Amino acid sequence: LLLALGGGSVIDATKAMLIALWAGLETTEALDPYRAGRGGDREARHALTPTLYMAAAPTTLSAAEFTILAGVTDVGRGGKEGFAHKDLAPIGIILDPDLTRSTPPVLWFSTGMKAIDHAVEQLCSLERSLMYDAVAEEGLTLLVKGLRATRLNPDDLQGRQDCQFGMWRAMASARSGRGMGASHAIGHTLGGSYGVPHGITSCVILPAVLAWNAAAGTERQEVISRIIGAKGRASEAVAGFVRELGLPSTLKAVGVKRSDFQAIAEHTIHDAGVRTNPRPIGGPEDIVEILELAAG
């Protein structure tokens, strides 16, 4: 048994180790046929036979331990690759708030915002699901409560446990099959190609996506504002919460320039994909509009 003790990168790395061990791989290049996606060069993963498994004890709020997917940055291609297999999911998950006390605050709060992103994009989906909407709403409520508590007192173990349970529920709602929206798609591009940490991408992009989607209606967004406890638009509520946590909130703050916007938009449309979004994404020009809202 492999035990992954750490954040999402540690947990996803352990999933990649499992593939390498199952298939007897010894080089980075040998992983290529096991990438997720379609095509004859990606079929090897279907022939994998598990020979050992993993358990996970997470120290951040990325929720990597609740999925069968490993996200791996390919530094040669300059992009993020996915590796998936049903037996990559940990056979046991230990949610111990005491293990998170040494997690750096910026990592704790930014991965918390990633978990909030999971809940928010599910709550804003055009596809309604009474069960998964309720799970997402409870997850968001616990995350907001817990992140505020641990901001005020880093040793608040109940607040840390609330965050862990909120992250769990947010990810459970994201497994509903409805897909994710533009915030996640753009975030994958910024992470894989521009080195912006996964949690920070949500801090910067989610408020801009909410503002851009407001034209499609704000009824669902009002739920988000209410849970955060802010008046006004959800985009403003989320942006205010990001600032409350002391995290960066603009592309300028994380070193992404306007001259990169077109390349980011094209990569997001053609490689990252946008499976679902309240306001339809017609092409790269729509992604550029969102990036302008996040520019700073």
Side-chain angles (χ1 to χ4, degrees):
L1 182 75
L2 299 184
L3 173 64
L5 171 59
S9 295
V10 171
I11 291 167
D12 280 4
T14 306
K15 294 175 186 176
M17 290 177 204
L18 284 177
I19 294 175
L21 290 166
W22 293 346
L25 309 180
E26 296 184 357
T27 67
T28 303
E29 293 73 21
L31 273 170
D32 279 354
Y34 299 90
R35 291 175 293 153
R38 298 178 180 178
D41 67 331
R42 301 186 178 193
E43 295 303 311
R45 70 187 188 281
H46 299 302
L48 285 169
T49 300
T51 54
L52 77 165
Y53 299 89
M54 68 175 284
T59 58
T60 71
L61 301 169
S62 71
E65 62 275 8
F66 293 105
T67 78
I68 64 169
L69 178 70
V72 179
T73 299
D74 186 325
V75 294
R77 294 189 179 95
K80 195 166 186 177
E81 297 283 2
F83 295 83
H85 188 280
K86 64 182 181 64
D87 291 307
L88 289 182
I91 61 172
I93 299 169
I94 303 164
L95 295 180
D96 183 348
D98 198 45
L99 289 177
T100 72
R101 292 172 68 180
S102 60
T103 301
V106 68
L107 191 56
W108 176 254
F109 293 122
S110 63
T111 55
M113 282 305 305
K114 173 55 65 178
I116 282 176
D117 202 344
H118 291 146
V120 166
E121 290 213 308
Q122 290 303 303
L123 286 170
C124 290
S125 172
L126 292 179
E127 297 182 34
R128 299 269 54 82
S129 167
L130 289 176
M131 183 178 78
Y132 285 112
D133 285 353
V135 172
E137 190 167 337
E138 184 181 6
L140 181 58
T141 300
L142 285 169
L143 283 161
V144 170
K145 175 185 175 184
L147 289 170
R148 280 188 169 135
T150 54
R151 176 72 172 169
L152 291 173
N153 178 13
D155 292 322
D156 186 335
L157 292 184
Q158 182 59 56
R160 289 182 176 275
Q161 186 95 89
D162 285 342
C163 289
Q164 290 181 315
F165 285 173
M167 166 265 296
W168 175 16
R169 285 159 173 77
M171 179 52 80
S173 70
R175 309 324 300 169
S176 65
R178 294 183 287 188
M180 304 304 294
S183 179
H184 272 73
I186 297 170
H188 288 162
T189 298
L190 291 176
S193 301
Y194 294 85
V196 182
H198 203 32
I200 298 296
T201 65
S202 293
C203 300
V204 174
I205 297 298
L206 181 58
V209 168
L210 286 167
W212 192 82
N213 279 327
T218 59
E219 179 183 354
R220 298 302 304 168
Q221 292 194 12
E222 290 170 1
V223 175
I224 297 158
S225 296
R226 173 177 57 77
I227 292 173
I228 294 176
K231 296 180 179 179
R233 296 184 175 184
S235 58
E236 297 166 353
V238 172
F241 191 64
V242 169
R243 291 191 295 271
E244 184 181 335
L245 296 177
L247 298 169
S249 58
T250 66
L251 288 170
K252 182 179 180 181
V254 296
V256 177
K257 302 175 182 177
R258 276 191 167 86
S259 57
D260 297 321
F261 285 6
Q262 187 63 34
I264 293 169
E266 291 176 2
H267 184 279
T268 299
I269 290 294
H270 298 302
D271 294 312
V274 185
R275 285 189 56 192
T276 182
N277 207 66
R279 180 179 169 187
I281 301 286
E285 64 280 1
D286 292 330
I287 301 296
V288 170
E289 285 186 18
I290 294 171
L291 295 172
E292 286 290 348
L293 290 170

